[in-house]
Amino acid sequence: MEDVVLEKVMEEVKKRLNQNTVDSSKAENAEIKREEKVMVSAVGLTEFVGTAVGDSVGLVIANVDSMLHEKMGIDKRFRSIGILGARTGAGPQIMAADEGVKATNTEIISVELARDTKGGAGHGSLIIFGAEDVSDARRAIEVSLKELNRTFGDVYSCDAGHLELQYTARASYAINKAFGAPVGKAFGLIVGAPAAIGVLMADTAVKTANVEIVSYASPSAGTAHSNEVIISVTGDSGAVRQAVIAAREVGMKVLKAMGQNPVSTTHPYI
Amino acid sequence: MEDVVLEKVMEEVKKRLNQNTVDSSKAENAEIKREEKVMVSAVGLTEFVGTAVGDSVGLVIANVDSMLHEKMGIDKRFRSIGILGARTGAGPQIMAADEGVKATNTEIISVELARDTKGGAGHGSLIIFGAEDVSDARRAIEVSLKELNRTFGDVYSCDAGHLELQYTARASYAINKAFGAPVGKAFGLIVGAPAAIGVLMADTAVKTANVEIVSYASPSAGTAHSNEVIISVTGDSGAVRQAVIAAREVGMKVLKAMGQNPVSTTHPYI
Amino acid sequence: MEDVVLEKVMEEVKKRLNQNTVDSSKAENAEIKREEKVMVSAVGLTEFVGTAVGDSVGLVIANVDSMLHEKMGIDKRFRSIGILGARTGAGPQIMAADEGVKATNTEIISVELARDTKGGAGHGSLIIFGAEDVSDARRAIEVSLKELNRTFGDVYSCDAGHLELQYTARASYAINKAFGAPVGKAFGLIVGAPAAIGVLMADTAVKTANVEIVSYASPSAGTAHSNEVIISVTGDSGAVRQAVIAAREVGMKVLKAMGQNPVSTTHPYI
């Protein structure tokens, strides 16, 4: 008899508890759903290409309206554009777009940083690809969305801040557009938030290996007032990799000393 | 007997569960309380006019201190100012202020955008009205606060972003100040976040009807680095309305394709 | 028998409820852990000095890499730097750094504001101290971290916004660097968020006592697009204090009229 009571009560309790947790699990489900939908066209919207981690979304416009074309300052060669935007992340999207531009007959028109990350310390982003044909724009967005899973691998987040590391043996035009890095050479990106951590990571990186600083950005210059210090480096591919890894290590140590446990957004690749 | 046990347990469980949900209901209660307090002066503070949705607050100063007057760059004609500020929203407040300025003997001194929305992708705002008499300033703020319930109607929010649509058949001086739109003509505002969505909404809007783009803003130009693309349009009132509605439709489709369910903050009016 | 049932059920319920609340208590524990760790060197990282409230972190670099040195625009006199950064707060860190610079043989190289506060309406910060010797830089950071507990005392937060008040009888070089205030004179800082509240606080402050406005900042000028109006004042120490207290009072009244209950981050000191 007690068991019956117990069961009845637990059922009721479960019902109530489920209502309570529905909000957080909704968020998780949304994330899963989003990921499943990558590369799947939304019904009735030919412009939709897909979504990816970081509330990233990829869109194309086959024939941009001429008035908007002019307002956006797009070169007249490009009838079609690819659009890659995200709430969370600029570095991962730039690195992904770099692969997109390598793989297709497109150019990077613009890379804009928003102050976002949904209450975090960093950036969201808006990257526009130009193409003469929409199929090229679509392909560039498809490649970029696919790459995001990898390029979020060395984004480590925790309550107090985040680290971001990126590395490529051969930078292309998206990286060049965003950071002014030389095309065809190895490239590394080092980000620490809060910005104080980024300063130490930058110092560690350049002391570790023979690399050259391409760009230095901080809350009041070169960022959209994000709470980050961001350096990008170039040089011999081995040296760049070594610098990036050393910066990651010291950044981790500081966040851990702050009582934090930074975790990769996906799976580390460097 | 089981029923007695059941009852006892459920009572205890309810008590515990209520404690758990008190935080979220507190937030809701605060919202309700705030809304009830609109147009009700706070005890002992003649400068307080009221509050509204979006953590909006309306204040007046009858006789601005001369030193502050100068630092704020206010025209000497205006002894009195009305102050409309908010954590969430710039478009809704500008549209509301437009009604405030139409209805009273005031002028818009300044419209400033903050990067806010409490972790969202958009703006907060600070709008200053100038008046020769404080009763005019107060009236302008009262009208504006009242309008906010309507002007938040086509603000659709979800976890991944938001859409905002605004429309008026006749723009006045707040809209003119904020966007440079012609006074007396129909005006539409189209906002998508993350910014990628705003690009597609903008393209759809101008392709749908014969409207003219008044302004184009993006994360790195014309916004406070919000994660939005914002266009404003003018033209024949029917065309403007049609453009706005088409933009809303495509924006909704993208957010839904991202696995989101954007909902109106109050009640749609367009 | 009922009691046994009751007990069994309650045990199960407690277990489930505890799982639910574990997330929020984790956050609190992290805060406590962070505070315990202040002034304790992290294992194996000589650059780490400590942490403090607001996700503040203090670091030193004994010998900044020459290439980074140049990119950061640091004067050649300073081999060593102290780094004070935070997710939440700029005023508290500037006031704390002012004590750090008073107490040591260091100089303030730069004060940068990020748009942060983890979804709040204000700033995070990055402050760099220069020193010829790393022991001086370390001491400056130690003093600053210790002061933060006090300087967060008149930071009052609530869901809708925050107030910040600061006062010192004698401003030093950090305050001078950040606000242009005269060194050696009394200094007051008055911040209200959303920005509308800051306008009223500013007006009240300067009407209350015979003080001079040193700086006025708002979302579109002088801030990193935070949703704040910030004024700093100087003058006779009694007058400055009186102005700050009057501003606090009116700010509190507005937030309370908005249905809020702003609470001090630590313990009020003014």
Side-chain angles (χ1 to χ4, degrees):
Chain A
M1 198 164 20
E2 296 143 44
D3 282 349
V4 175
V5 176
L6 197 78
E7 215 166 299
K8 251 185 175 173
V9 173
M10 285 317 298
E11 202 171 353
E12 180 64 26
V13 169
K14 269 180 200 160
K15 225 168 66 193
R16 297 287 302 264
L17 285 166
N18 283 339
Q19 284 172 345
N20 272 2
T21 54
V22 109
D23 277 350
S24 53
S25 58
K26 234 190 249 170
E28 279 174 56
N29 284 337
E31 187 67 24
I32 291 162
K33 264 191 217 154
R34 266 204 300 286
E35 286 179 6
E36 276 170 3
K37 283 205 173 146
V38 173
M39 318 307 291
V40 178
S41 254
V43 180
L45 194 59
T46 54
E47 292 90 347
F48 183 77
V49 182
T51 69
V53 63
D55 294 303
S56 298
V57 61
L59 303 164
V60 291
I61 299 177
N63 201 343
V64 179
D65 174 87
S66 64
M67 193 172 21
L68 182 65
H69 207 283
E70 199 192 307
K71 287 274 177 190
M72 290 178 75
I74 302 174
D75 193 303
K76 282 179 180 172
R77 285 177 299 150
F78 305 121
R79 276 180 5 134
S80 302
I81 60 171
I83 312 165
L84 179 64
R87 289 294 306 280
T88 297
Q93 284 79 8
I94 293 164
M95 299 303 286
D98 210 55
E99 299 303 320
V101 87
K102 270 179 199 170
T104 60
N105 188 20
T106 57
E107 289 187 26
I108 300 291
I109 293 174
S110 60
V111 175
E112 299 191 39
L113 307 190
R115 176 66 188 88
D116 207 338
T117 54
K118 303 173 105 173
H123 287 121
S125 53
L126 175 64
I127 300 175
I128 311 278
F129 293 78
E132 291 177 39
D133 195 284
V134 69
S135 64
D136 290 324
R138 179 178 295 274
R139 185 70 193 129
I141 295 296
E142 282 171 354
V143 172
S144 303
L145 288 171
K146 221 170 179 174
E147 286 292 325
L148 278 169
N149 207 49
R150 178 181 61 83
T151 60
F152 263 102
D154 286 282
V155 176
Y156 301 89
S157 294
C158 57
D159 178 62
H162 63 260
L163 312 177
E164 179 186 347
L165 294 310
Q166 301 287 355
Y167 165 80
T168 179
R170 194 172 69 84
S172 189
Y173 294 100
I175 289 170
N176 173 263
K177 186 86 182 182
F179 303 101
V183 170
K185 285 193 70 179
F187 172 84
L189 185 68
I190 292 154
V191 183
I197 299 174
V199 176
L200 183 57
M201 290 168 72
D203 185 66
T204 304
V206 293
K207 277 175 178 165
T208 297
N210 183 25
V211 294
E212 203 185 315
I213 300 178
V214 172
S215 66
Y216 173 87
S218 62
S220 65
T223 65
H225 303 305
S226 71
N227 201 338
E228 300 172 310
V229 158
I230 304 171
I231 67 159
S232 63
V233 298
T234 188
D236 171 73
S237 69
V240 169
R241 214 166 168 277
Q242 216 182 320
V244 165
I245 289 170
R248 178 174 61 189
E249 203 175 316
V250 76
M252 284 289 193
K253 276 189 183 168
V254 176
L255 281 175
K256 280 176 183 167
M258 291 174 79
Q260 301 287 316
N261 183 27
V263 290
S264 164
T265 308
T266 56
H267 304 284
Y269 76 94
I270 303 170
Chain B
M1 195 159 29
E2 297 143 40
D3 281 349
V4 176
V5 176
L6 196 77
E7 216 167 297
K8 253 186 172 171
V9 174
M10 284 318 298
E11 204 172 351
E12 181 63 26
V13 169
K14 270 180 199 162
K15 228 169 63 193
R16 298 286 302 264
L17 285 167
N18 283 339
Q19 285 172 344
N20 270 1
T21 55
V22 110
D23 277 350
S24 53
S25 58
K26 235 190 248 169
E28 279 174 55
N29 284 337
E31 187 66 25
I32 290 161
K33 264 191 217 153
R34 265 205 299 286
E35 285 179 6
E36 274 171 5
K37 281 202 176 150
V38 174
M39 319 305 291
V40 178
S41 254
V43 181
L45 194 59
T46 54
E47 292 89 349
F48 183 77
V49 182
T51 69
V53 62
D55 293 303
S56 298
V57 61
L59 303 164
V60 291
I61 300 177
N63 201 343
V64 179
D65 173 86
S66 64
M67 194 172 21
L68 183 64
H69 206 284
E70 200 193 307
K71 286 275 177 189
M72 291 178 73
I74 302 174
D75 193 302
K76 281 180 179 171
R77 284 176 302 149
F78 305 122
R79 278 183 0 138
S80 303
I81 60 170
I83 311 165
L84 180 65
R87 289 294 305 278
T88 297
Q93 284 79 7
I94 292 165
M95 298 304 285
D98 211 55
E99 300 302 320
V101 86
K102 270 179 197 169
T104 60
N105 188 22
T106 57
E107 289 187 26
I108 300 292
I109 292 174
S110 59
V111 175
E112 298 190 39
L113 307 191
R115 176 66 187 88
D116 207 338
T117 54
K118 304 172 103 172
H123 287 120
S125 53
L126 175 64
I127 300 175
I128 311 278
F129 294 79
E132 292 178 38
D133 194 285
V134 69
S135 63
D136 290 325
R138 179 178 295 274
R139 185 70 194 129
I141 295 297
E142 284 171 353
V143 172
S144 302
L145 288 171
K146 221 169 179 174
E147 287 291 326
L148 278 169
N149 207 50
R150 178 180 62 82
T151 60
F152 262 102
D154 286 283
V155 177
Y156 301 89
S157 293
C158 57
D159 179 61
H162 64 260
L163 312 177
E164 179 186 347
L165 293 311
Q166 301 287 355
Y167 165 78
T168 179
R170 193 172 71 80
S172 188
Y173 294 100
I175 288 170
N176 175 262
K177 187 86 182 183
F179 302 102
V183 170
K185 284 192 72 179
F187 172 84
L189 184 68
I190 292 154
V191 183
I197 299 175
V199 177
L200 184 57
M201 289 168 73
D203 185 66
T204 305
V206 293
K207 277 175 178 165
T208 297
N210 183 24
V211 293
E212 204 184 315
I213 299 178
V214 173
S215 66
Y216 172 87
S218 62
S220 66
T223 66
H225 302 304
S226 70
N227 201 337
E228 300 171 311
V229 157
I230 304 172
I231 67 159
S232 63
V233 297
T234 190
D236 171 71
S237 68
V240 169
R241 215 166 167 277
Q242 216 182 319
V244 165
I245 288 170
R248 177 174 62 190
E249 204 175 316
V250 77
M252 284 290 194
K253 276 189 184 168
V254 177
L255 282 175
K256 282 176 183 167
M258 291 174 78
Q260 302 286 315
N261 184 27
V263 289
S264 164
T265 308
T266 56
H267 303 284
Y269 77 94
I270 303 170
Chain C
M1 194 158 27
E2 296 143 43
D3 281 350
V4 176
V5 175
L6 197 77
E7 217 166 297
K8 252 186 174 169
V9 173
M10 285 317 299
E11 205 171 353
E12 181 64 26
V13 169
K14 268 180 200 160
K15 226 168 64 195
R16 298 286 303 264
L17 285 167
N18 283 340
Q19 286 172 343
N20 270 2
T21 55
V22 109
D23 276 350
S24 53
S25 59
K26 234 190 250 171
E28 280 174 55
N29 285 338
E31 186 68 24
I32 290 162
K33 263 191 219 154
R34 265 205 300 287
E35 284 179 7
E36 274 170 4
K37 282 205 174 147
V38 173
M39 318 306 290
V40 177
S41 254
V43 180
L45 195 58
T46 55
E47 292 89 349
F48 183 77
V49 182
T51 69
V53 63
D55 293 302
S56 298
V57 61
L59 303 164
V60 291
I61 299 176
N63 201 345
V64 179
D65 173 86
S66 65
M67 192 171 24
L68 183 64
H69 207 282
E70 200 193 306
K71 286 275 177 190
M72 291 178 74
I74 302 175
D75 193 302
K76 282 181 181 170
R77 284 177 301 149
F78 306 122
R79 278 183 0 137
S80 303
I81 61 170
I83 311 165
L84 180 64
R87 289 293 307 278
T88 297
Q93 284 78 5
I94 293 165
M95 299 303 286
D98 210 55
E99 300 302 320
V101 87
K102 270 180 199 169
T104 60
N105 188 22
T106 56
E107 289 187 28
I108 299 292
I109 292 174
S110 60
V111 175
E112 299 190 39
L113 308 190
R115 176 67 188 87
D116 206 336
T117 55
K118 302 171 103 172
H123 288 121
S125 53
L126 175 64
I127 300 175
I128 311 277
F129 294 78
E132 291 176 38
D133 196 284
V134 69
S135 64
D136 290 324
R138 179 178 295 275
R139 185 70 193 129
I141 295 297
E142 283 171 354
V143 172
S144 302
L145 288 171
K146 221 170 179 175
E147 286 291 325
L148 277 169
N149 207 50
R150 178 181 61 81
T151 60
F152 262 103
D154 286 282
V155 177
Y156 301 90
S157 294
C158 57
D159 178 62
H162 64 261
L163 311 177
E164 179 186 347
L165 295 309
Q166 301 287 355
Y167 165 79
T168 178
R170 193 172 69 81
S172 189
Y173 294 99
I175 289 170
N176 174 263
K177 187 85 180 184
F179 303 103
V183 170
K185 285 193 71 179
F187 172 84
L189 184 68
I190 292 154
V191 183
I197 299 175
V199 177
L200 183 58
M201 289 168 73
D203 185 67
T204 304
V206 294
K207 277 175 178 164
T208 297
N210 183 25
V211 294
E212 205 184 314
I213 298 177
V214 172
S215 66
Y216 173 87
S218 62
S220 66
T223 65
H225 302 306
S226 71
N227 201 337
E228 300 172 309
V229 158
I230 303 172
I231 67 159
S232 63
V233 297
T234 189
D236 172 70
S237 69
V240 170
R241 215 167 168 276
Q242 217 181 318
V244 166
I245 289 170
R248 178 174 61 189
E249 204 174 316
V250 76
M252 284 289 193
K253 276 188 183 168
V254 176
L255 282 175
K256 281 176 183 167
M258 290 174 80
Q260 301 286 315
N261 184 28
V263 289
S264 164
T265 308
T266 57
H267 304 283
Y269 77 94
I270 303 170

